[in-house]
Amino acid sequence: MRKGRKLTGILLAAAMLAGLLTGCGGAKTDTASSAGSASTQAASAEAVSESTAAAETAEETADKPDTSEPVTLTMYLIGDRPVDNDEVFAKINERLQAEINTTIDVKFMGWGEYEQKYPLIFASGEDWDIIYTADWCFYNAQATKQGFYEITREDLEKYAPMSAETMYPDAWEQAKVDGKVYMLPMNYKEITAYVYMARGDLMDKYDITSVSSLDEVEAYLDAVAKNESAFIPLDIGSDYDKLFMFDRMWSKANWESKEKIGGIGPWQAMGSTGENDDTAVVKGNFDQPEFLNVISRLKDWRDRGFWSKNAVVNTQNNTESFQAGKSALALMNVNTAKSLYATITEEHPEWDIRVFDAQEGVPAVVNAYIANGMSIFSKSKHPDRALMALDYLRNDKECNSLFCYGIEGKHWEAVGENGLKSLPGSTNYPYDGNCNWGIRNDAYWRTIDEGGIPNLAELNEVWLNTAKSSRYQTFVFNDAEVKNEIAAMNEIFNSEYKLLGLGFTDDPEGDIAKLRDKMMAAGAEKVYAEVQKQALEFLAKQ
């Protein structure tokens, strides 16, 4: 289309020139007329040049999105708002305003509220534009409810040309829900692994040399519970981390089993199937062989005081409690650990913070690109400008580095081409701790080279050598036929299931049976049958 308009302009200019030359063709040639003819031709050539330039300028103007109107977009992120977030985004907004006449107002949903608040803002009537999303954070649910704006290839090329050029082809395919894309997935190849962060001073006090297995964790937490009354050994329990320890136990038990059980479908449905099961039979976790053993061990740990009796209503996540000096152990993914380690060692060098692999032989996960991404609200008044802004946040080096690491010289400084050193100011804008995950880009990503976890290279080597993708990594479930059932199951997930996941039961076997009965009454069998049907269709295309 662009080339066509350009050719039309040139042909029009040529036609104008032809008309001028034809008008002079019958004149008698003498010195004066030759001079006049030369002058006329020169003027005509200049006219052609001006006409061509005007045509090209008009064509470029027609192609370029209109940014004459200043626009402020509202963007939702999840997690806790960094202290210096406004200062960082003031600089980002300077860049965006200069480039696309746009600024961004950032709002955060805390870890303790996002599960409840996220779905509500779509129906609130609030005017907003951009939101963080992921395969674990409502992407499929909102895409199938028309909560997100569909991003077409034409939109991408017109409003986000940098993303159109740099996006991994697999990422675009993974983002499709019923053949349509509603997310700009991260442009980053990510491995997720979990770690324990422990107080080295307390480990030495009780002659604990390692916290790399559940048995070692148990010994450490037991020593703290019996001897350090001022501490909550592991302060889990917010909406963010209620199931963190359950997940560690559950993953280990299933990885070591013959069935290799893994989750499938919407997390609220608590469904799972065997990696080696070609028939894709889906059951509730509560019907899987290892579930009772895991819940029984969690009950034992809860009974021994490893976490608070008020864990169910705790609103502070375990990393915050650890950083505040209230607990002796924290459990988190390695990306959170990178940020937290630098901050805590700066604040409390006397704690002698140590980081241990929490995978315990379970392979690290090679994430899908849709494990992090950004979407546009379907009712946004400025979806084109939102797409343009995301294009800059993802691909403009200045915007991307500001969002990911903060202000250079205050929060971080460069170490070589791909490394950075966290500065004391990073406490107020932690590395990788500000929900920048949806705009990560391999082209600009920096890792902490100085002031970071001392044994991180060793841990990374283990994870890289064992990392794997699950069989259903890119499986996206369409819940259109079972929306009501999943809504009912979600209520049970947020109550009974999470209680069991924290070990709050006096009768594990009996309470699991009650959970199962409630799930069946909510329509679990229908949901699992639908998940299995779609899983088989997914496998047939592999």
Side-chain angles (χ1 to χ4, degrees):
M1 184 65 73
R2 181 181 177 121
K3 289 182 179 177
R5 285 198 298 270
K6 185 171 183 178
L7 180 59
T8 300
I10 293 172
L11 290 173
L12 178 61
M16 292 170 61
L17 176 59
L20 288 168
L21 293 177
T22 301
C24 299
K28 183 177 180 182
T29 303
D30 56 21
T31 305
S33 64
S34 294
S37 177
S39 175
T40 301
Q41 290 183 35
S44 299
E46 184 177 350
V48 170
S49 176
E50 290 176 354
S51 298
T52 303
E56 291 182 356
T57 300
E59 168 235 337
E60 289 174 1
T61 301
D63 273 357
K64 189 175 181 180
D66 180 13
T67 58
S68 58
E69 177 192 355
V71 168
T72 296
L73 304 170
T74 298
M75 179 168 70
Y76 270 102
L77 303 175
I78 63 171
D80 302 308
R81 188 184 195 92
V83 175
D84 287 348
N85 193 78
D86 290 350
E87 184 180 354
V88 170
F89 264 85
K91 291 187 174 294
I92 291 174
N93 283 335
E94 285 178 14
R95 175 72 172 158
L96 293 179
Q97 193 164 38
E99 292 295 319
I100 57 173
N101 203 14
T102 301
T103 55
I104 298 176
D105 178 35
V106 185
K107 296 184 178 182
F108 280 82
M109 291 177 279
W111 286 117
E113 64 175 354
Y114 88 94
E115 287 188 15
Q116 287 75 38
K117 187 173 181 179
Y118 196 107
L120 296 178
I121 64 170
F122 286 82
S124 66
E126 180 186 348
D127 183 13
W128 59 276
D129 305 278
I130 301 170
I131 194 166
Y132 170 84
T133 189
D135 54 3
W136 57 271
C137 187
F138 300 99
Y139 176 57
N140 185 70
Q142 290 302 329
T144 57
K145 294 175 184 174
Q146 290 76 52
F148 294 139
Y149 175 83
E150 181 192 351
I151 302 170
T152 66
R153 268 290 176 187
E154 291 74 20
D155 286 338
L156 204 64
E157 290 167 4
K158 182 172 183 178
Y159 300 113
M162 293 181 285
S163 295
E165 184 178 347
T166 60
M167 186 182 295
Y168 294 120
D170 286 351
W172 180 258
E173 291 303 313
Q174 289 178 15
K176 288 182 177 178
V177 177
D178 291 338
K180 297 180 179 180
V181 172
Y182 302 92
M183 169 207 285
L184 289 184
M186 64 178 173
N187 216 43
Y188 176 73
K189 296 173 182 176
E190 178 185 58
I191 291 178
T192 291
Y194 281 80
V195 297
Y196 299 114
M197 188 173 286
R199 291 274 297 261
D201 57 341
L202 293 176
M203 289 179 65
D204 290 344
K205 185 175 180 179
Y206 298 107
D207 198 27
I208 304 289
T209 58
S210 176
V211 185
S212 292
S213 69
L214 289 169
D215 289 343
E216 290 174 345
V217 168
E218 183 172 337
Y220 176 58
L221 295 180
D222 190 56
V224 174
K226 288 177 177 176
N227 299 288
E228 302 287 344
S229 59
F231 284 90
I232 299 170
L234 173 61
D235 195 17
I236 56 173
S238 75
D239 278 347
Y240 172 62
D241 57 21
K242 272 179 181 168
L243 296 176
F244 269 25
M245 187 51 72
F246 166 83
D247 286 339
R248 289 298 87 219
M249 294 184 183
W250 183 240
S251 296
K252 180 177 185 293
N254 285 314
W255 176 249
E256 293 175 348
S257 71
K258 179 181 177 181
E259 293 83 2
K260 296 285 189 293
I261 301 299
I264 187 171
W267 42 264
Q268 308 100 311
M270 299 159 259
S272 50
T273 189
E275 284 272 315
N276 303 321
D277 180 7
D278 292 336
T279 63
V281 173
V282 179
K283 298 179 182 179
N285 290 343
F286 42 83
D287 278 334
Q288 298 291 3
E290 296 296 332
F291 193 75
L292 175 59
N293 292 333
V294 169
I295 299 304
S296 296
R297 188 171 194 182
L298 288 164
K299 168 185 162 38
D300 176 55
W301 284 24
R302 189 267 301 182
D303 290 345
R304 291 157 69 180
F306 289 5
W307 43 83
S308 171
K309 294 178 180 179
N310 298 317
V312 176
V313 294
N314 180 23
T315 58
Q316 186 175 53
N317 70 58
N318 84 103
T319 57
E320 294 170 335
S321 184
F322 183 80
Q323 185 176 357
K326 297 177 182 179
S327 60
L329 185 76
L331 172 59
M332 68 203 80
N333 69 56
V334 67
N335 290 318
T336 301
K338 291 174 188 175
S339 170
L340 199 62
Y341 181 88
T343 300
I344 296 180
T345 52
E346 178 72 27
E347 295 174 344
H348 297 285
E350 73 280 6
W351 289 0
D352 185 21
I353 299 300
R354 300 173 192 175
V355 177
F356 299 89
D357 188 353
Q359 293 297 120
E360 198 170 354
V362 178
V365 176
V366 180
N367 285 334
Y369 293 107
I370 59 172
N372 295 292
M374 303 296 288
S375 291
I376 299 168
F377 185 29
S378 60
K379 296 180 182 178
S380 168
K381 295 177 181 176
H382 305 284
D384 52 345
R385 202 71 68 87
L387 197 49
M388 294 169 70
L390 288 175
D391 198 35
Y392 271 83
L393 293 177
R394 287 163 58 90
N395 300 286
D396 180 78
K397 187 174 183 179
E398 181 181 345
C399 288
N400 190 266
S401 295
L402 280 164
F403 196 169
C404 289
Y405 323 118
I407 300 168
E408 186 172 6
K410 178 174 183 177
H411 302 117
W412 65 284
E413 65 181 36
V415 178
E417 290 187 9
N418 302 307
L420 64 75
K421 175 183 178 181
S422 288
L423 300 177
S426 66
T427 301
N428 292 329
Y429 199 85
Y431 172 82
D432 210 35
N434 58 318
C435 197
N436 61 65
W437 321 307
I439 58 96
R440 281 182 187 157
N441 192 331
D442 279 329
Y444 307 127
W445 188 250
R446 292 178 177 271
T447 56
I448 294 180
D449 279 6
E450 293 187 24
I453 300 168
N455 57 326
L456 182 59
E458 177 186 336
L459 294 174
N460 274 329
E461 185 176 0
V462 173
W463 296 330
L464 286 169
N465 287 335
T466 60
K468 66 184 291 289
S469 300
S470 75
R471 190 175 193 181
Y472 297 99
Q473 179 195 44
T474 59
F475 172 70
V476 178
F477 179 66
N478 183 343
D479 66 358
E481 299 297 320
V482 288
K483 288 182 185 294
N484 293 335
E485 288 80 4
I486 288 176
M489 294 163 81
N490 186 47
E491 296 297 319
I492 302 167
F493 174 84
N494 285 319
S495 52
E496 282 85 348
Y497 191 77
K498 287 186 175 179
L499 281 171
L500 288 172
L502 285 167
F504 281 89
T505 173
D506 294 323
D507 177 13
E509 193 168 1
D511 286 339
I512 289 172
K514 291 177 183 177
L515 170 66
R516 185 185 187 282
D517 290 343
K518 287 188 176 184
M519 290 292 287
M520 293 301 113
E525 285 185 308
K526 180 180 177 181
V527 172
Y528 297 153
E530 183 64 23
V531 174
Q532 181 183 16
K533 172 181 168 242
Q534 294 184 33
L536 289 171
E537 292 169 353
F538 170 81
L539 293 177
K541 296 175 183 177
Q542 302 306 300

